[in-house]
Amino acid sequence: MRQLSAKDELTFLHSYRVTKIALSFASFLKLADEETRELQFGALIHDIGKLHVPAHILTKKGKLLEEEFAEIKKHPLFGIHILQHYHVSPEISHIVLYHHEQWDGKGYPHKKRGENIPFFARLVALADSLEAMTGIRPYRAPLTWEDAYKEIRKGAGTQFDPRLTTSFLLWMENHVIPIEQNTETIIQTIPSIS
């Protein structure tokens, strides 16, 4: 994770915040401890494939060109390539590979749909989208928690698992995850891949 922080601090902070959201939601769902540990690690490294995306694309301040976005869309495949050198569970690999798949089959990289998308990947997709909407970005102001709530509700049944989204919206009604700014402090709390 230090490599990701060095290359693109915003992606690193995003991954950390996605993990906080996912863990809070997992607690709301009362997931088992072992499931929560797998979810934590998978959420933390879900964007690890961005290590292979050119830095000028990751840090671009304006709108991405079509070919730049095509490069970004490769990061789940890059992530799986990185993970093949480590001993990680299928659940963690599924998060990295499938967190951009959509319920209606219009996601990437494999156009999986519905319950063919592994559960943890569907969960992280919600956390990932919420953070992307409400997190700090150089090219736009963050949405409010309320506006993000409305956007996620709109995506139920198309972008997101409708049943899981219902639970996520219930969780959102009672939670706000603050943005962490101190990268060095965050890095010290993160376990390494072994």
Side-chain angles (χ1 to χ4, degrees):
M1 291 308 291
R2 285 182 184 275
Q3 287 176 300
L4 189 55
S5 176
K7 182 171 185 178
D8 179 15
E9 187 174 18
L10 273 180
T11 297
F12 171 79
L13 291 171
H14 162 75
S15 296
Y16 177 77
R17 194 160 177 250
V18 167
T19 303
K20 286 184 71 172
I21 292 167
L23 290 177
S24 181
F25 184 43
S27 176
F28 177 79
L29 294 176
K30 300 186 181 350
L31 294 186
D33 289 347
E34 181 58 33
E35 291 178 309
T36 300
R37 279 191 293 275
E38 301 240 308
L39 176 65
Q40 177 181 11
F41 197 62
L44 190 59
I45 66 168
H46 76 281
D47 275 342
I48 197 167
K50 287 185 178 177
L51 285 169
H52 290 316
V53 175
H56 73 276
I57 295 175
L58 290 177
T59 58
K60 185 173 179 179
K61 304 244 187 291
K63 185 174 176 169
L64 293 175
L65 301 173
E66 190 175 319
E67 58 270 20
E68 292 169 331
F69 185 56
E71 197 64 25
I72 287 277
K73 287 169 69 173
K74 295 176 186 175
H75 79 270
L77 298 170
F78 293 151
I80 286 299
H81 178 73
I82 291 168
L83 290 185
Q84 73 184 0
H85 303 292
Y86 301 95
H87 299 290
V88 298
S89 70
E91 288 76 16
I92 292 170
S93 295
H94 290 161
I95 290 170
V96 171
L97 184 57
Y98 300 128
H99 68 277
H100 282 293
E101 300 291 357
Q102 294 185 4
W103 189 257
D104 61 7
K106 294 182 180 174
Y108 62 89
H110 295 307
K111 306 281 188 206
K112 282 189 171 284
R113 66 169 53 237
E115 293 191 4
N116 289 323
I117 305 166
F119 174 75
F120 281 172
R122 285 181 266 149
L123 190 157
V124 170
L126 283 160
D128 190 33
S129 293
L130 175 59
E131 198 293 319
M133 287 185 249
T134 60
I136 294 170
R137 299 294 183 274
Y139 49 86
R140 56 127 180 95
L143 292 185
T144 65
W145 200 256
E146 295 76 18
D147 287 340
Y149 179 98
K150 291 173 190 172
E151 289 300 313
I152 288 171
R153 185 174 59 197
K154 274 197 255 181
T158 54
Q159 185 173 355
F160 308 116
D161 173 339
R163 289 177 59 205
L164 193 58
T165 302
T166 297
S167 296
F168 193 73
L169 293 171
L170 286 172
W171 169 81
M172 281 187 74
E173 289 168 13
N174 297 296
H175 294 81
V176 175
I177 304 294
I179 295 171
E180 297 286 346
Q181 299 291 345
N182 188 333
T183 307
E184 280 308 311
T185 302
I186 292 168
I187 288 174
Q188 292 168 12
T189 68
I190 295 171
S192 62
I193 300 175
S194 56

